[in-house]
Every structure is written in structure tokens, then in C-alpha cells.
Amino acid sequence: MIFPLSWHVRQCKKFLILVVIYGLCTFFIVSYLKSKIYPKKDNCFVNESFNIKSKEIIFKVEANLKYFLDKDTNISVSDDESDDWVQITEGVFIYSAYIDKCPSIISSSSFCVQFIGISLMNITDIDDSISDIKCAFKRKSNVTRLGFAFLKKLNEHHFKPYTAAFFYCDLKDFTTNSVSINFVTLYKVSISTWVRVNYLEFKTTPNVSINLCVRPLYGLYPSINMIEFLTYYKMMGVEHFVFYRYNISASMHLFLKFLKSTNLSIEIRPWNVPLDNELLHEFGQMVFTQDCIVRNKYKFSHTIIVDIDEYIVPKLHLNITSLIVYLDEKHEDAGSYVIPMALFCDEFSYDSPKFSLFHILNHNKRQKTFWKYGYRSKYIVRSGRVLYGGIHFIWKHERNWHEVEVSDTVALLHHYRRCCGVMQTWFFELFSFYVLNDDVVIDNSLIDNSFKLANDSLVSLILNLLNVTSLYF
């Protein structure tokens, strides 16, 4: 059958129209995906007049505080707690050692020496295995040599040559009533150094008692930021703070010692980590996490792991104590609670006629999109139910305990920082966007506590020292 020429022309037109429609659809789809995969540049502008004003006031406060600490205190910085890094053998460094019940992978009945430290990734081919490193302990001058240590290398190493690690030595017939073990060590051929051992005191903790651990401190930041951090969490129910001192100024170290002398419950631990960030992720942050969880597992019912610029803010409860009571009652089999995070960017200016000394009271604007659980989130652990902590979530719990993802309507991690260049992924990490291009929402849930913060005894003490009458200017 032969079709007329007009029919062929119509078919060609239809074909061309379909090609054009297909091309336009493809163009718009590709453009959209490119906008997500290669998002538009973020706007890193910060209100400079606000910044200059805040820097001027904080500079005066820091100068007054330094003058007070130099002239009016007799605080020494030489008496921090004792644990610190030692090299045991080639490729193995130990920060602390504890006598505790063995994890179930070692023994269900005996005690173990648990060494917490770092090891080379290639020290063994597998992460959980009997190592070629031997154990020994010393009672007074009597040395007892044991068998080979069980090695657990932790996963969150970020492809660095070294990773956080546990070494376990089974003490077999040892009991807590035995003659005290003073020192322990690991060795390959001969013993080169000893590590003082810490005994974990087995006791029943109150229903809710909260300890807070802060990642190793380094760099320069205002002392007033430390005050707002301590004041907020103390007001929220935290009873004890543990800081690991890596590379901070002498004045900040002195200030922490001064705060400790005010009867605020603070531990300041040295953290002279022997490797740089080319060899070990973030100054050994994973090791600090393990040490603080183990160190306080029988002292407190719950431990919080956060950074100095992160604030867990309950949305339905007056404080973190009430939040934990609620979570414990709702999730009896929980071993930990992971809190989702949103950024309160410095670039999101806070329009207010008053300026506060506290950074957190000058920011009530956050990004709209919460980060996925496990990405920049932080957590609260139920002591004794966690084996290995991570930076943003728990890697392994004891027995059948598990992690609970807390809804952002119940609690949110407020993270206060500059956001220039920070990208957030979505949809299985296939796409991303700059945080500063996210929608901005008003969130006054922390600022609603400003009256309590301003009237806290710790704030009053510091303001009196500085001859300042108010948090606001």
C-alpha cells in the first residue's frame, strides 16, 4: 500500500515534535539532577557589623578573665589526671587500661584487662582475632606473664594507617578480692614499659545520673563558650564533665582548672596523642569515645558524647534528665539513643536589639532539613549496655541491647558553627546540596531557656568576676 506524500509529511512532523519534546524533557531532567549533584554555590556572607560587635565584647571579656586568672588565683595546671599515651610495641600505643568483666566474645565468667589504644590496621589480617602480642601484669615486684591478647580493631578508621583498638587479656582465676594488680602491659619479645591499671567499681547507680564527655579539645576558642556549654548542660541535669586536653592554650587550661575548683564536677585528662591526622582520624577521636564510655560505665547511668559546639535540646521536656526518664520507660531494651542534628549557621543572622555574651542565645535560625541518623548525630548511652561506641552512632551493644533513633520532635542536636562549604547528602547519597541553600526556620527551643541560663549560679559567678552585670548588651 502506497501512502500519499501528505501522510509522510504529517508523520515526519509528529516525529520531530516527539524528538523536540524528548529533548526538552531530557534537558530539564539533566539540569535538575545537575543542580542537585553539582549544587549552586552557597552564600557565605556573615553579618559583619554583628561579628565585629561580638568580637569586641568577647575580647574585653577574655582580657578581664585572663587578668583575674593571672593575678587572683593560685591554680596549678600540673596536676591533671594521670592516664596518657605510651608506646607498648611497634605499631601499638595504649592510652588506658581497665580491669572489668570480659565481653562475651572472650569469656562469660572471668575478668579481663582491657587496653584501650590504637594499632596499625595491618597488625592482623582480620579485625577480631588472637594477636601475636602477649599480656603480663605486676603485683608489687612480682611479674605474671599470661597468654596472647585478643585484638578488636574498630571499624571507624576513615582509611587511615592506624585505628582505635581494644586488647583483651583474660585473667581467668582472678577475682576482685585477689591481691591488687598494680600495672599491666603488652609485649612481643620483652617488656619495655608498664601501664597503671584502673579498677572499675561495680556499683548500682541511681535511676538517672548523667555524665558528659567532650571530644579532645584543640585550638583557640573563647572561654565564654566554655561557660555557656557547661551552664547549659548543668542546667539540663548533667552531673559530671570529662574533657580531654589535646592542644589548647595555657589560659584555657588554667580556666578549666579554675572551674574545677568551684566545685563543678570536672575531669581534665591529658591527650598527647602520638600521631598526627595523616595517620589517625581526628586526633584519635574514636579512642576518646571508648575510654570515656568504659571509664564511667559504673559511675553513671547514662553518658552523653558531644562536641563543644553541640547542644542536645529536648523538645517536650524541661531538661535532659526528664528526657532520659521518658526514653528509658518507653524503650526498656535500649542500649543507646541517637539524636538527629540540624545546623544553626553563623550565616543565619539573629535579628535582635540585644547582643548576648552567649553565642547560643544569638542564633535562633536553623536549616530546615535534618541530617540523617548517623550523619553528624550524637548519642546518649546507657552505661554497661555498650561495647564499642562510634563518633555518630554505636557500633556494637552488649547482648541484645539496641540503638533507638530519637524523633526530632522529641529532641534535636543543635550544632552552632559556620556553614560555608558544608554539603549535605540526600537520597542514598546520590545527590547533595549546600546547607546555606537550605530553607531557614525559626527555632527558639533553646532560647526559651535563656532566663534560666542567665540566672544560673555559674553564670553569676563569672559575671561577678568580670564586673559584668548582665549577659546582654
Side-chain angles (χ1 to χ4, degrees):
M1 182 177 182
I2 299 175
F3 293 95
L5 179 62
S6 59
W7 182 89
H8 289 287
V9 171
R10 287 196 301 272
Q11 296 305 310
C12 287
K13 287 181 178 179
K14 289 179 181 178
F15 176 76
L16 289 174
I17 291 172
L18 288 174
V19 169
V20 170
I21 292 173
Y22 176 80
L24 289 173
C25 290
T26 303
F27 172 77
F28 285 118
I29 290 172
V30 170
S31 299
Y32 174 77
L33 292 179
K34 280 186 175 181
S35 73
K36 299 302 179 183
I37 301 173
Y38 306 102
K40 61 182 179 180
K41 185 62 180 173
D42 53 347
N43 179 8
C44 295
F45 174 77
V46 178
N47 187 329
E48 287 304 319
S49 60
F50 180 86
N51 243 7
I52 292 171
K53 181 180 180 181
S54 65
K55 287 178 180 178
E56 288 176 351
I57 295 173
I58 289 173
F59 178 80
K60 292 178 182 178
V61 169
E62 291 293 303
N64 290 344
L65 186 59
K66 186 176 187 304
Y67 178 83
F68 165 76
L69 292 172
D70 289 344
K71 299 295 182 181
D72 297 331
T73 67
N74 295 313
I75 305 295
S76 170
V77 296
S78 61
D79 58 343
D80 282 348
E81 287 76 3
S82 59
D83 287 330
D84 206 356
W85 289 95
V86 294
Q87 183 168 7
I88 291 292
T89 186
E90 184 179 359
V92 176
F93 299 83
I94 296 298
Y95 179 74
S96 56
Y98 300 91
I99 291 181
D100 192 12
K101 296 174 183 177
C102 296
S104 55
I105 55 174
I106 308 295
S107 170
S108 60
S109 59
S110 61
F111 286 85
C112 280
V113 179
Q114 299 183 16
F115 294 88
I116 299 176
I118 52 181
S119 74
L120 277 169
M121 282 294 298
N122 61 4
I123 196 170
T124 61
D125 293 332
I126 55 179
D127 292 344
D128 302 358
S129 64
I130 298 296
S131 69
D132 62 350
I133 297 176
K134 301 172 186 176
C135 308
F137 65 82
K138 182 165 60 174
R139 291 186 176 108
K140 297 182 179 178
S141 59
N142 297 321
V143 175
T144 300
R145 298 173 189 266
L146 302 170
F148 292 97
F150 184 92
L151 169 61
K152 168 64 181 178
K153 292 185 292 185
L154 300 188
N155 296 326
E156 204 165 340
H157 47 72
H158 295 262
F159 306 103
K160 302 289 186 178
Y162 283 84
T163 186
F166 278 83
F167 289 89
Y168 296 103
C169 301
D170 192 344
L171 293 174
K172 301 186 187 309
D173 298 328
F174 173 85
T175 69
T176 52
N177 295 323
S178 300
V179 177
S180 294
I181 294 175
N182 306 110
F183 296 92
V184 293
T185 194
L186 298 168
Y187 68 99
K188 282 191 174 180
V189 179
S190 59
I191 296 173
S192 61
T193 187
W194 290 95
V195 177
R196 183 176 294 279
V197 70
N198 299 286
Y199 282 78
L200 296 179
E201 182 181 352
F202 305 101
K203 64 179 183 179
T204 303
T205 59
N207 290 336
V208 175
S209 55
I210 308 171
N211 169 63
L212 183 145
C213 306
V214 182
R215 68 176 290 183
L217 298 174
Y218 64 93
L220 298 173
Y221 51 90
S223 300
I224 202 69
N225 291 160
M226 180 64 71
I227 288 296
E228 66 181 344
F229 179 86
L230 289 168
T231 302
Y232 174 80
Y233 277 110
K234 182 169 73 76
M235 183 185 74
M236 285 285 123
V238 172
E239 299 174 22
H240 184 69
F241 298 87
V242 185
F243 293 98
Y244 291 75
R245 177 179 56 82
Y246 172 55
N247 182 23
I248 58 175
S249 65
S251 59
M252 174 54 73
H253 190 189
L254 190 65
F255 184 49
L256 285 172
K257 301 293 288 188
F258 166 73
L259 292 173
K260 184 176 179 179
S261 73
T262 66
N263 294 322
L264 193 62
S265 185
I266 294 179
E267 287 181 51
I268 310 164
R269 300 200 161 273
W271 192 258
N272 300 310
V273 62
L275 303 172
D276 60 31
N277 281 346
E278 295 299 315
L279 300 174
L280 180 69
H281 179 64
E282 285 298 312
F283 313 108
Q285 183 177 2
M286 273 288 286
V287 189
F288 127 77
T289 301
Q290 315 315 316
D291 179 75
C292 208
I293 290 174
V294 171
R295 185 180 296 275
N296 296 285
K297 66 186 296 186
Y298 301 117
K299 296 178 182 177
F300 302 92
S301 67
H302 297 75
T303 289
I304 296 173
I305 304 290
V306 288
D307 292 351
I308 197 72
D309 55 1
E310 296 173 336
Y311 294 76
I312 294 176
V313 180
K315 301 298 182 178
L316 305 176
H317 303 88
L318 292 176
N319 51 47
I320 294 175
T321 303
S322 300
L323 167 67
I324 288 175
V325 169
Y326 164 78
L327 292 173
D328 284 355
E329 290 177 352
K330 187 176 181 181
H331 306 282
E332 293 183 357
D333 56 352
S336 57
Y337 306 112
V338 62
I339 314 296
M341 189 278 293
L343 288 166
F344 285 68
C345 302
D346 290 351
E347 291 85 351
F348 302 155
S349 61
Y350 175 43
D351 300 323
S352 172
K354 297 189 296 184
F355 167 76
S356 174
L357 279 176
F358 283 180
H359 182 73
I360 57 177
L361 299 183
N362 295 321
H363 295 273
N364 69 337
K365 294 179 181 178
R366 63 163 172 82
Q367 63 170 141
K368 181 179 181 180
T369 309
F370 302 120
W371 289 62
K372 293 185 297 183
Y373 294 98
Y375 287 78
R376 294 183 179 262
S377 53
K378 290 298 168 65
Y379 54 82
I380 304 169
V381 303
R382 298 188 69 169
S383 302
R385 298 186 176 187
V386 169
L387 267 181
Y388 309 119
I391 295 175
H392 303 295
F393 56 90
I394 296 298
W395 280 101
K396 186 174 179 60
H397 294 81
E398 273 280 20
R399 301 187 183 91
N400 295 320
W401 308 120
H402 67 93
E403 189 156 73
V404 171
E405 295 179 348
V406 178
S407 168
D408 57 78
T409 61
V410 175
L412 184 65
L413 183 72
H414 291 202
H415 191 168
Y416 297 86
R417 55 164 290 171
R418 289 205 67 177
C419 299
C420 184
V422 177
M423 298 186 72
Q424 185 171 346
T425 59
W426 64 286
F427 194 66
F428 303 105
E429 301 185 34
L430 294 176
F431 310 119
S432 58
F433 61 92
Y434 283 105
V435 169
L436 291 180
N437 290 332
D438 198 1
D439 291 335
V440 178
V441 298
I442 301 297
D443 189 333
N444 286 311
S445 51
L446 187 149
I447 293 178
D448 288 342
N449 285 308
S450 59
F451 176 79
K452 294 180 182 178
L453 280 168
N455 288 278
D456 185 85
S457 59
L458 180 59
V459 173
S460 299
L461 171 66
I462 298 301
L463 293 182
N464 287 336
L465 292 178
L466 301 175
N467 293 319
V468 177
T469 57
S470 172
L471 274 180
Y472 293 95
F473 290 83

